[in-house]
Amino acid sequence: DIQLTQSPSFLSASVGDRVTITCRASQGINNYLDWYQQKPGKAPKLLIYTASTLESGVPSRFSGSASGTEFTLTISSLQPEDFATYYCQQLKTYPLTFGGGTKVEIK
Amino acid sequence: EVQLVESGGGLVQPGGSLRLSCAASGFTFSRSWMSWVRQAPGKGLEWVANIKEDGGDNYYVDSVKGRFTISRDNAKNSLFLQMNSLRAEDTAVYYCARYVRSHPHYYMDIWGEGTTVTVSS
């Protein structure tokens, strides 16, 4: 199975901060990597697919990039509504797998 | 309105069975792969199963193989998850999601609000 290691698992940040979350795959996944945002008690919401394509309706402060087996989600200027947990997911091979999540909290 | 609505969750004893349903609307269900994803209390997301548009191809995470069956009724725009031999570790919120496969893009873009399954005596 392909393992996805997210870091950090928790981060504390302020409104306006630039935030970077990393997801490292245990083997090559050809950019078949998506990012989701989840708020407490709610379903996940797709933010980025295929490593860097912004889902329709998602603010442009969210961006994704890839370098080999390392993937990055960046929030350029953190907004109050962005405090949530973020997950990466690989869709290269079954079983599809998620990273462990990164919880972004208010400093 | 594009929507997925899950139902069928509840409290069940270990070894018991439960059938989850997911009603789809607002998109062409019969042309969509579908997924089940679960989340144990306080834990992360775990993909459970996928089913092809015509139901002819299914995939499962190892921990549910032989116990869970994903199926669909395209005439009724409905997705199902039959869960047998339930264990305490199956306790979770179960989400259904549309799984888009449009090479080279693969993603889950529509999600239901989830239904809660609790396995306990």
Side-chain angles (χ1 to χ4, degrees):
Chain A
D1 298 2
I2 296 176
Q3 311 300 320
L4 296 179
T5 303
Q6 269 185 253
S7 60
S9 55
F10 173 89
L11 75 86
S12 181
S14 301
V15 172
D17 283 354
R18 181 182 182 89
V19 168
T20 298
I21 298 169
T22 298
C23 178
R24 186 169 287 106
S26 59
Q27 59 187 269
I29 58 173
N30 297 116
N31 287 358
Y32 294 126
L33 190 287
D34 301 338
W35 289 97
Y36 298 86
Q37 176 193 67
Q38 187 181 35
K39 296 181 179 179
K42 298 296 185 181
K45 174 188 174 184
L46 177 67
L47 298 176
I48 302 276
Y49 59 92
T50 322
S52 60
T53 304
L54 194 67
E55 167 70 341
S56 176
V58 173
S60 59
R61 63 181 179 273
F62 291 93
S63 64
S65 63
S67 177
T69 59
E70 185 168 301
F71 301 84
T72 301
L73 173 69
T74 300
I75 309 172
S76 60
S77 178
L78 199 64
Q79 297 303 300
E81 60 268 31
D82 300 338
F83 292 95
T85 300
Y86 294 84
Y87 295 93
C88 57
Q89 182 195 25
Q90 67 82 19
L91 299 96
K92 172 71 167 63
T93 307
Y94 286 109
L96 308 184
T97 48
F98 288 89
T102 296
K103 187 173 184 179
V104 178
E105 290 199 341
I106 302 173
K107 182 182 286 183
Chain B
E1 180 190 6
V2 173
Q3 196 172 14
L4 293 169
V5 179
E6 303 92 339
S7 60
L11 174 64
V12 61
Q13 291 188 341
S17 298
L18 214 53
R19 188 193 197 209
L20 306 184
S21 299
C22 173
S25 59
F27 64 96
T28 308
F29 179 77
S30 61
R31 295 183 182 178
S32 302
W33 279 68
M34 297 297 296
S35 300
W36 286 100
V37 174
R38 67 184 179 182
Q39 186 169 36
K43 301 297 184 182
L45 300 170
E46 180 183 36
W47 169 78
V48 174
N50 270 11
I51 187 167
K52 192 179 175 182
E53 299 100 324
D54 62 1
D57 222 356
N58 306 328
Y59 300 87
Y60 300 92
V61 68
D62 281 352
S63 60
V64 309
K65 280 181 184 175
R67 300 189 301 122
F68 289 13
T69 302
I70 188 172
S71 63
R72 64 193 297 160
D73 184 339
N74 285 344
K76 295 183 178 179
N77 289 341
S78 293
L79 175 72
F80 306 102
L81 187 67
Q82 177 66 44
M83 304 186 296
N84 299 330
S85 303
L86 282 161
R87 306 166 180 168
E89 54 265 36
D90 296 318
T91 294
V93 175
Y94 285 74
Y95 297 100
C96 65
R98 183 174 75 167
Y99 178 46
V100 173
R101 289 165 47 99
S102 180
H103 188 76
H105 303 301
Y106 298 78
Y107 50 86
M108 298 178 185
D109 65 339
I110 304 169
W111 294 69
E113 287 305 309
T115 188
T116 300
V117 173
T118 303
V119 184
S120 175
S121 55

